[in-house]
Amino acid sequence: MDAEERRRAILDAARRSGSVDVAKLAADLGVSKETVRRDLHLLEEHGLVRRTHGGAHPVESAGFETTLAVRTTLHVPEKSRIAAAAADLLGDAETVYIDEGYTPQLIAAALPRDRPLTVVTSSLATAGALAVCDNMTVLLLGGRVRGGTMATVDHWATHMLSGFVIDLAYVGANGISREYGLTTPDPAVSEIKAQVIRVSRRRVFSGVHTKFGAVSFCRFADVTQFEAIVTDTGLPTSEAHRYSLLGPQVIRV
């Protein structure tokens, strides 16, 4: 295969599995590790992957987004720690928004059950898990259900949100950067998240370190709009400090 075909194969492999390893790619493609590193460097320059030590992972974009099924298999220990730390930020909130995605599902599972809470969510999985809890009142946003994430979008959901004032919103993103803020691939999802930002008093972002520095298609919030960012220790201390200078408390677990 030529260089373009090889880079496409590398990108396809990253998107299928969630990450790629330089040594394995070199063996599979029959090229040197240095050739693979050059390919990854070019793919990173084009905003398609983020390089890591010994490999890379795909950046979610207008043309690619991982499904919920894939997300439940990636960085699970880190996501569990992040969820527990994010739930600890509940404070005296009585109304909570839980975003779509796997980490928000884990946050929902970590919320206390010994006090009344009203939870608004676009996630069918989160709504189903919390609806059986005695102290939980669950409001599921209506609208079109996205098959990849099993969450609702479009004007029905944004209209419903516009009538609320939410104490605390747990918000996720496909990418977060100091320059471009929080981004997501789908305009319909972006509008839901932007509406959540508008109607919430407090906002917490939770996400694994691989999301930092990544930029997707649709921008829906600035880093300055969040009181806290919860991530794992894969985000370097120096980079966490740079985000904290924009306003939010950065918690690494």
Side-chain angles (χ1 to χ4, degrees):
M1 62 178 67
D2 62 23
E4 185 175 344
E5 290 173 330
R6 187 178 64 247
R7 287 191 288 269
R8 174 53 60 183
I10 290 171
L11 182 60
D12 288 344
R15 288 177 171 179
R16 278 196 311 273
S17 61
S19 65
V20 287
D21 176 78
V22 168
K24 186 175 187 309
L25 283 173
D28 291 345
L29 297 171
V31 297
S32 69
K33 293 179 183 178
E34 187 54 39
T35 295
V36 172
R37 291 189 186 99
R38 285 197 299 268
D39 288 340
L40 290 176
H41 178 73
L42 185 61
L43 289 170
E44 185 174 48
E45 284 188 337
H46 291 171
L48 296 171
V49 302
R50 291 289 311 285
R51 296 174 71 186
T52 60
H53 181 69
H57 59 264
V59 172
E60 301 191 1
S61 63
F64 164 73
E65 185 178 9
T66 55
T67 64
L68 184 60
V70 170
R71 294 176 196 179
T72 62
T73 66
L74 301 175
H75 306 290
V76 175
E78 292 90 341
K79 290 176 180 178
S80 297
R81 296 196 303 271
I82 289 167
D88 285 342
L89 299 176
L90 181 65
D92 58 1
E94 297 179 348
T95 56
V96 178
Y97 178 79
I98 304 289
D99 207 351
E100 64 169 52
Y102 183 54
T103 302
Q105 283 184 32
L106 296 177
I107 294 173
L111 291 175
R113 301 294 193 266
D114 59 352
R115 54 183 272 198
L117 278 178
T118 296
V119 175
V120 181
T121 186
S122 61
S123 166
L124 274 66
T126 293
L130 295 183
V132 299
C133 303
D134 291 339
N135 281 331
M136 298 282 185
T137 299
V138 180
L139 301 178
L140 176 64
L141 299 179
R144 174 173 60 91
V145 178
R146 300 174 72 228
T149 59
M150 296 303 292
T152 55
V153 292
D154 290 339
H155 66 274
W156 300 277
T158 54
H159 179 72
M160 188 173 174
L161 278 167
S162 68
F164 297 145
V165 178
I166 297 171
D167 293 334
L168 172 62
Y170 289 109
V171 180
N174 301 74
I176 176 172
S177 73
R178 288 178 284 118
E179 182 178 1
Y180 294 106
L182 283 73
T183 54
T184 193
D186 191 314
V189 176
S190 178
E191 184 51 40
I192 296 294
K193 293 176 184 287
Q195 184 73 306
V196 168
I197 298 299
R198 287 191 285 268
V199 303
S200 56
R201 301 178 193 269
R202 300 168 52 209
R203 306 163 199 99
V204 171
F205 169 77
S206 57
V208 293
H209 69 277
T210 58
K211 294 180 180 289
F212 288 79
V215 178
S216 194
F217 181 48
C218 301
R219 177 176 179 169
F220 66 87
D222 293 323
V223 174
T224 57
Q225 293 176 284
F226 287 78
E227 76 165 42
I229 290 172
V230 188
T231 188
D232 60 89
T233 53
L235 182 71
T237 304
S238 58
E239 190 66 6
H241 177 66
R242 293 185 185 100
Y243 278 89
S244 71
L245 293 177
L246 297 176
Q249 176 189 12
V250 179
I251 301 168
R252 299 162 65 249
V253 293

